[in-house]
Amino acid sequence: MKIKSIFAASVLTMTALLSSPVLASEQAVSFVQDKVAQMLSILSDSSLNEAQKEDKFQQQLLQTADVNVIARFVLGKYAAKANAQELEKFSYAFQLYALSVYQSELSNFGSEVFEVKNSEERRPGDSVVLTTISGGSMDGKSEEIKWRVLEIKGTPRVVDVEISGVWLSQHQRAEITGIITKNGGDVSAASKVLCARSSQCHYNG
Amino acid sequence: MLFSLKTCSLMVLTFSLYGCAHPLWRTKGDPLEPVNRVIFTFNTVADKAVLKPAAKTYQTITPKTARKGIRNFLDNLQAPVIFVSDVLQGKPKRAAKTLARFAINTTVGIGGILDVAKSAGIEMHYEDLGQTLATKGVPAGPYLVLPLFGPTNARDLVGLTAELAFSPLSFTRFKGKQTFGRARLAVNTIDRRAETLQQVDLIRKNTLDEYVSIRSYYEQIRKDAIADGVVDVHDLPDFDLVE
């Protein structure tokens, strides 16, 4: 009986270990599929005015991406040097900036056809999903978009997007660390610059 | 000649002074940043004053079909460079495609104006000698901003210089060759700028530092081109999930 239980447990563990990468990757694919479909549907919803569209779209973005994880990433080597208060202020300013950037980059989309091509797992809980977008504003062309999806606290979240060969979080890291380096390693300098770009940002420090 | 030398001396002096007066921050891969930034500012002014208006006018007065024909023609002239790069990179299938495209488009496609090869299912791909050097393990070297030309790096600059030898213009002789060469350069520059009017406006609108932004775009786009658009997921950076 005991041997049977041990055997069953081993088989279950092995099955779980072998199948978890596939499941994780499939989870990433369906997450991207669902979230992009929801975002495109908001952008193409003619019953919403611009302000409502912007509000709904930003809420959707926050459910899709993990802005805190991205904020730490774009700080690069300075993330480890910043204290908790600096990190919190930076995350706040970065979130407002990132939302406005993604809003302006993606607001031209709406009626496009979105398709998942494949996915590749980097390690368990870390996948890249390859998609194509065509039709609508694409002027007869098809563009590849890659999504980096991490499993964060058991939930999939997008942390980077590659369009036309450019990973946006990596690009933002180059800009943010550039500002901090210019200001002698002062993280708050980047927070101030980001905050100045958003009318909603009220930064005191 | 004297004017050129005087101008060069003045430029070198200006850049040297700027370099000395500038704070001591440097970014990895961009040791010439202070000098590059001066040239970048000059290029931005030149773009806003001349190139962007020219590109807008070109886009307005030239019908889309005509622009497409011009782009096809210019791309076809680039085929010998792409072919040599394909061969040197050891990609015979891609080299054969480039050769077939060049032969079909130059003849049936009326000198390359029509992309008949694409209609036949032979899609264009882009390669250059800078990418070829990268595939052979040559490091990028310092990031450079060239006056009027824009961003590059030492490796791509060497590749670009070598490409002049493979251009059809280099091994043909005809009357008005120099004028044709200049016209090709001018039309190519204006057409490329016209293609990126919206994107550049978007970059300028969203950027925190336009110089850093363009450098980052350049580095990432070149890396992607060298890998032929294939992402090695293991090369991607890690994200720190510590709360």
Side-chain angles (χ1 to χ4, degrees), chain A residues 88-166:
Chain A
E88 194 184 329
K89 284 183 174 176
F90 178 79
S91 288
Y92 164 69
F94 179 75
Q95 177 170 317
L96 291 171
Y97 168 74
L99 286 175
S100 69
V101 169
Y102 286 113
Q103 174 85 21
S104 73
E105 297 241 9
L106 299 170
S107 58
N108 290 329
F109 293 111
S111 57
E112 288 73 16
V113 177
F114 174 80
E115 202 182 338
V116 173
K117 288 293 185 191
N118 62 43
S119 69
E120 191 175 354
E121 192 160 65
R122 191 169 171 264
R123 61 168 77 142
D126 184 350
S127 304
V128 174
V129 180
L130 171 64
T131 64
T132 57
I133 193 156
S134 56
S137 63
M138 299 302 293
D139 201 19
K141 293 173 193 163
S142 169
E143 180 93 63
E144 276 190 358
I145 304 180
K146 299 181 185 93
W147 310 76
R148 177 97 180 262
V149 182
L150 296 191
E151 195 182 308
I152 300 166
K153 293 176 184 167
T155 313
R157 282 283 183 272
V158 171
V159 291
D160 208 351
V161 180
E162 191 229 56
I163 305 169
S164 305
V166 177

Side-chain angles (χ1 to χ4, degrees), chain A residues 72-73 97 104 120 122-123 128 139 146 148 150 159 165-167 170-171 174-176 182 194 197, chain B residues 25 64 205-209 212-213 216-217 220-221 224 229 231 233-234 236-242:
Chain A
R72 279 188 73 92
F73 174 78
Y97 168 74
S104 73
E120 191 175 354
R122 191 169 171 264
R123 61 168 77 142
V128 174
D139 201 19
K146 299 181 185 93
R148 177 97 180 262
L150 296 191
V159 291
V166 177
W167 289 95
Q170 291 186 44
H171 174 72
E175 286 199 297
I176 300 288
K182 257 200 282 187
L194 291 174
R197 303 295 294 266
Chain B
W25 47 265
K64 203 173 173 180
K205 183 186 161 201
N206 289 330
T207 188
L208 300 171
D209 180 337
V212 175
S213 197
S216 162
Y217 278 125
Q220 282 209 56
I221 288 168
D224 183 66
V231 174
V233 293
H234 301 288
L236 294 173
D238 287 320
F239 277 74
D240 181 8
L241 300 182
V242 178

Side-chain angles (χ1 to χ4, degrees), chain B residues 38 76 78 119 127 156 163 177 204:
Chain B
V38 175
N76 196 50
Q78 196 63 17
S119 311
E127 289 287 356
D156 290 344
E163 277 171 22
K177 180 176 159 178
R204 284 182 177 156

Side-chain angles (χ1 to χ4, degrees), chain B residues 164-224:
Chain B
L164 296 174
F166 297 106
S167 166
L169 282 181
S170 304
F171 46 82
T172 49
R173 282 184 177 207
F174 59 92
K175 204 179 166 190
K177 180 176 159 178
Q178 235 179 8
T179 312
F180 177 81
R182 285 179 191 147
R184 177 194 174 189
L185 180 67
V187 175
N188 195 29
T189 308
I190 292 169
D191 185 69
R192 285 276 182 234
R193 186 65 184 91
E195 279 176 11
T196 55
L197 279 169
Q198 274 185 317
Q199 288 99 313
V200 175
D201 283 351
L202 199 62
I203 290 170
R204 284 182 177 156
K205 183 186 161 201
N206 289 330
T207 188
L208 300 171
D209 180 337
E210 196 179 330
Y211 172 82
V212 175
S213 197
I214 297 294
R215 182 180 66 200
S216 162
Y217 278 125
Y218 182 78
E219 288 171 351
Q220 282 209 56
I221 288 168
R222 288 299 289 170
K223 196 177 166 189
D224 183 66

